[in-house]
Amino acid sequence: MFESDRRYGPATLPRSRGALSAAVIEALRHPPHDLPADLGVDLDPADPITDEDLQLTLFLCYELHYRGWLGVDDSWEWQPTLLALRARCEQVFEAALRRLVGAPTVPAAGVAAGLAELVAADDGPALAATLQRRADRTQFREFVAHRSVYHLREADPHSWALPRLGGPAKAALVEIQTDEYGNGRLDRMHAELFRRTLDRLGLDTSYGAHIDVAPAVTLATNNLMSLFGLHRRLRGALLGHLAAFEMTSSLPNRRYGNGLRRLGFDEVATRFYDEHVEADAVHEQIAAHDLCGGLVRVEPALAPDVLFGAAAGLAVDRLFAAHLLDSWAAGHSSLRPPAPPALPPTVPLVASAAGMAPPALV
């Protein structure tokens, strides 16, 4: 494989984070075969959403449905015993999400009003304001490394809903996704715009390059989308997640762009965020009224699922933001330790304001 191909995947298998992910990684290095029947049967982490081993195991399984893993046989995607393990992990993860947010109530005014209420009540940590006003270059680079896990495949998880929808909801989703994919132009695809931001910040632009340093809570923000997207029964939750994402995106992206400008970066670095200020302001209305409203008009029973997906997305993002801010307040990195020195060389980082030596971002 040519080095340039790494921009688009597949990613290299990450390092394990426990016995379960180690077993899966070792299995994936070989031709498809049955996993031990008791693998994961006693899975009971204290906090599934922040459990490193569980979240990496889910990410390993889910990525087989996206771009796969470098050197891993594609037939693993539908290997029955791996799917059974994934299902066990999903049960634990979904149960934790439902405990986290409870059962959102659909207001009499309808699902669009319910989404607006959830967004208005969201009082998450002020991550965007911190990045705009106070974050140093090291901290901003950390944030971008975290987000690269999603943004380098931006829109893909929500596209799983397309063949599962019909009528007005499908038309609305196509309208949103068309913008996300740059209307068919590579240079305008949001994933490609983000790749330029990574490059301007001196970070590896390869697909999946920062998985190893992304902690469990970062993987959870991605796994949540994959969980919803890969299960038809959760299609309402997937659309609710997208709606909440679009309804809470415009102002933070303005702040991210302004934060990069404050730090001296140019319009190439900020274009990804500047693009989302305008696009997401339009998508907000489409997502709430045409997408989710259109779905519920056809399938009224899915209204609670829509609000669950929105609430779960907002809640996990709050945990993500708190992790970054708490880490920085304590004077250390929000990322996991870097890869061993034997791996390819890394880009040096500027020291943080607290004087801590940040981890290398590969």
Side-chain angles (χ1 to χ4, degrees), residues 5-217:
D5 289 345
R6 294 188 63 235
R7 292 177 300 169
Y8 304 115
T12 302
L13 279 169
R15 292 170 289 153
S16 64
R17 304 185 187 181
L20 193 59
S21 57
V24 172
I25 290 170
E26 179 58 26
L28 294 177
R29 296 187 190 281
H30 302 278
H33 59 272
D34 286 345
L35 303 179
D38 60 349
L39 189 62
V41 295
D42 57 350
L43 190 63
D44 187 24
D47 182 1
I49 296 172
T50 59
D51 187 86
E52 297 289 349
D53 200 24
L54 171 64
Q55 291 299 330
L56 180 59
T57 298
L58 277 170
F59 195 90
L60 287 163
C61 294
Y62 286 145
E63 187 59 27
L64 293 168
H65 300 284
Y66 289 98
R67 303 187 198 178
W69 295 103
L70 186 63
V72 172
D73 191 321
D74 286 341
S75 297
W76 271 111
E77 181 181 8
W78 299 110
Q79 208 289 328
T81 60
L82 183 61
L83 291 177
L85 172 63
R86 192 190 92 186
R88 288 194 285 272
C89 294
E90 287 177 328
Q91 290 168 3
V92 173
F93 183 36
E94 184 178 347
L97 292 172
R98 293 190 182 277
R99 288 194 301 270
L100 181 64
V101 303
T105 301
V106 183
V111 72
L115 289 167
E117 289 177 10
L118 282 173
V119 169
D122 185 44
D123 57 352
L127 177 60
T130 298
L131 287 164
Q132 177 185 4
R133 299 168 186 165
R134 296 189 299 278
D136 60 27
R137 286 191 171 214
T138 295
Q139 291 164 343
F140 215 112
R141 285 157 59 96
E142 287 185 15
F143 169 71
V144 170
H146 282 285
R147 287 305 198 192
S148 71
V149 180
Y150 169 67
H151 285 314
L152 287 180
R153 66 178 183 200
E154 182 161 344
D156 290 350
H158 298 109
S159 291
W160 289 111
L162 284 168
R164 295 168 177 166
L165 300 174
K170 184 165 193 164
L173 183 56
V174 168
E175 183 174 0
I176 292 173
Q177 298 299 81
T178 298
D179 281 348
E180 300 289 344
Y181 292 126
N183 292 283
R185 287 181 51 182
L186 176 64
D187 64 316
R188 295 180 61 183
M189 289 177 62
H190 289 181
E192 202 64 21
L193 296 180
F194 190 79
R195 179 169 282 107
R196 294 176 197 161
T197 299
L198 283 168
D199 182 64
R200 275 297 198 264
L201 270 64
L203 298 172
D204 193 333
T205 67
S206 304
Y207 180 79
H210 305 286
I211 293 170
D212 261 331
V213 295
V217 70

Side-chain angles (χ1 to χ4, degrees), residues 262-281:
R262 173 180 61 82
L263 292 168
F265 288 97
D266 64 10
E267 62 182 12
V268 175
T270 66
R271 186 182 172 192
F272 172 83
Y273 298 114
D274 296 339
E275 173 77 14
H276 281 75
V277 173
E278 180 177 349
D280 290 353

